[in-house]
Amino acid sequence: MLLATISWLILNILLLLSGIEPIYATPPDVSLTKSTCHDACGTIPVRFPFGTGFGCGHPDFGRTIKCSSSGALQFSTSTGVYTISSIDYSANILILQDPFMSTCASMQNSGSFHLDSMTPFKYVEEDTFVLLGCSTTSPLFDANEDLCDTGSGLHICRGLYSCKGVTGIGLEPNAPISTCCVYDPPFAVGTSAVSNGLDLPKLQCSSYASIFGFGGDEGNPMKWQYGISLQYNDSYYSDETCKNCVTSGGTCGFSAIDQSFACICRNGINTTSNCFGRGHAWSGGWRLKSQIMISVGDLILSCFLFFSFSTFLVKQMTLFLT
């Protein structure tokens, strides 16, 4: 009875001591939060500085670009959410599609479009913005402002007004183009009418179209390429830390706490540098497995030593009592 009682006490002490030390220790620069970052959203490849969700890419872009649950890469501003149809990483340009933008095939009343303040994006100068169905009293036609291109822009207005789609904004095909305005440049600086975007109610216009290419045929508006081109600064990728992370198989992201750099590895482990030595399997890295194996070995050895000592102690106490 005495032997069983002492053995039970020692066993419970052993279990208590083994619970003090965790099974494995996390390195100081590692967080075991599972990654939600991917290298594509739908059919669009996603690379730094963009990301597919919060904590992915560069924090300056993380507030603007996200991957929806339906697999669409989206761009958000104060005026709405727009689908990104393509990204040209060599030219640092992405193309947005506004579902309410007018094209030759379909014209409708549009909402406004603004780039938020302090945004890392800017409009591409080659884009052509056309305001349609504008009131003749619109500030666009103020002679002192000179906001509309009355030269080469006239053929663009004629082209769009020849489309059957103009019936969608209450006009007949080939209507007079006096209610059409082509920006040149698209957004004038220092005017009261236009800021960092299109304010259609203020400009007294029904709709707008943005053309980023003419498809090799400026005379056929059905072939024109409609969308908003935005350019971003490529200096975000100049940091060698991100390049080292990508080389090691990781994705560049940032910490949700202080927005500091984080390299997100394929096994879900986040580091402050790169994924070398962090493993590549989703089930866990080699370092984590090694730590678990070593800890289990230490536990077995500790059990053996404790039970050996307890057996010796019990024998000595039995001899003493007899």
Side-chain angles (χ1 to χ4, degrees):
M1 182 68 179
L2 178 61
L3 177 62
T5 301
I6 294 175
S7 298
W8 181 84
L9 289 173
I10 293 176
L11 177 62
N12 279 272
I13 293 172
L14 174 63
L15 293 174
L16 178 63
L17 290 175
S18 66
I20 295 176
E21 184 68 24
I23 296 298
Y24 59 86
T26 302
D29 66 335
V30 172
S31 168
L32 296 181
T33 303
K34 283 297 180 184
S35 167
T36 57
C37 300
H38 305 282
D39 57 6
C41 179
T43 59
I44 306 295
V46 179
R47 307 173 193 166
F48 193 81
F50 307 129
T52 55
F54 184 77
C56 309
H58 192 281
D60 287 354
F61 296 86
R63 294 180 291 271
T64 304
I65 296 179
K66 294 180 177 64
C67 185
S68 71
S69 57
S70 61
L73 193 62
Q74 297 179 325
F75 183 97
S76 301
T77 74
S78 58
T79 53
V81 179
Y82 310 91
T83 301
I84 299 174
S85 59
S86 64
I87 302 177
D88 185 343
Y89 288 98
S90 61
N92 308 318
I93 292 176
L94 55 81
I95 306 295
L96 304 183
Q97 296 298 328
D98 182 349
F100 298 106
M101 179 192 299
S102 288
T103 67
C104 185
S106 173
M107 296 189 190
Q108 57 189 322
N109 291 332
S110 304
S112 299
F113 180 84
H114 287 272
L115 284 179
D116 297 336
S117 59
M118 305 301 292
T119 179
F121 296 94
K122 65 178 182 179
Y123 296 101
V124 176
E125 294 182 1
E126 289 74 17
D127 275 13
T128 301
F129 286 83
V130 189
L131 294 171
L132 307 168
C134 302
S135 168
T136 55
T137 61
S138 168
L140 290 168
F141 305 121
D142 185 341
N144 296 323
E145 296 286 3
D146 193 25
L147 296 175
C148 300
D149 178 6
T150 56
S152 59
L154 294 180
H155 82 277
I156 297 177
C157 282
R158 291 193 185 96
L160 287 173
Y161 272 34
S162 70
C163 299
K164 294 181 179 180
V166 295
T167 57
I169 56 174
L171 298 175
E172 293 294 328
N174 298 309
I177 63 172
S178 57
T179 61
C180 177
C181 173
V182 175
Y183 277 144
D184 185 25
F187 300 107
V189 178
T191 69
S192 58
V194 183
S195 56
N196 201 28
L198 299 169
D199 189 341
L200 265 63
K202 189 173 184 178
L203 297 173
Q204 303 174 28
C205 298
S206 300
S207 186
Y208 82 94
S210 177
I211 304 164
F212 66 88
F214 293 96
D217 189 351
E218 293 192 17
N220 187 354
M222 287 297 294
K223 293 184 178 180
W224 296 352
Q225 297 164 301
Y226 298 91
I228 302 173
S229 297
L230 298 178
Q231 190 165 41
Y232 61 94
N233 193 327
D234 65 348
S235 63
Y236 288 91
Y237 195 72
S238 61
D239 188 353
E240 290 296 327
T241 304
C242 180
K243 293 182 179 180
N244 291 336
C245 172
V246 174
T247 301
S248 69
T251 301
C252 300
F254 58 93
S255 166
I257 299 175
D258 58 3
Q259 295 192 342
S260 60
F261 176 82
C263 184
I264 303 169
C265 305
R266 284 179 288 177
N267 57 10
I269 295 178
N270 298 355
T271 79
T272 58
S273 54
N274 57 58
C275 297
F276 290 124
R278 303 297 181 188
H280 298 286
W282 282 101
S283 60
W286 67 268
R287 181 172 182 175
L288 179 59
K289 292 178 180 177
S290 298
Q291 289 171 336
I292 294 175
M293 292 176 63
I294 293 172
S295 297
V296 171
D298 290 342
L299 181 60
I300 295 174
L301 178 60
S302 298
C303 289
F304 175 77
L305 293 176
F306 267 98
F307 278 109
S308 297
F309 175 74
S310 64
T311 302
F312 172 77
L313 181 61
V314 169
K315 287 182 179 179
Q316 293 301 317
M317 292 183 67
T318 303
L319 292 174
F320 176 76
L321 292 175
T322 57

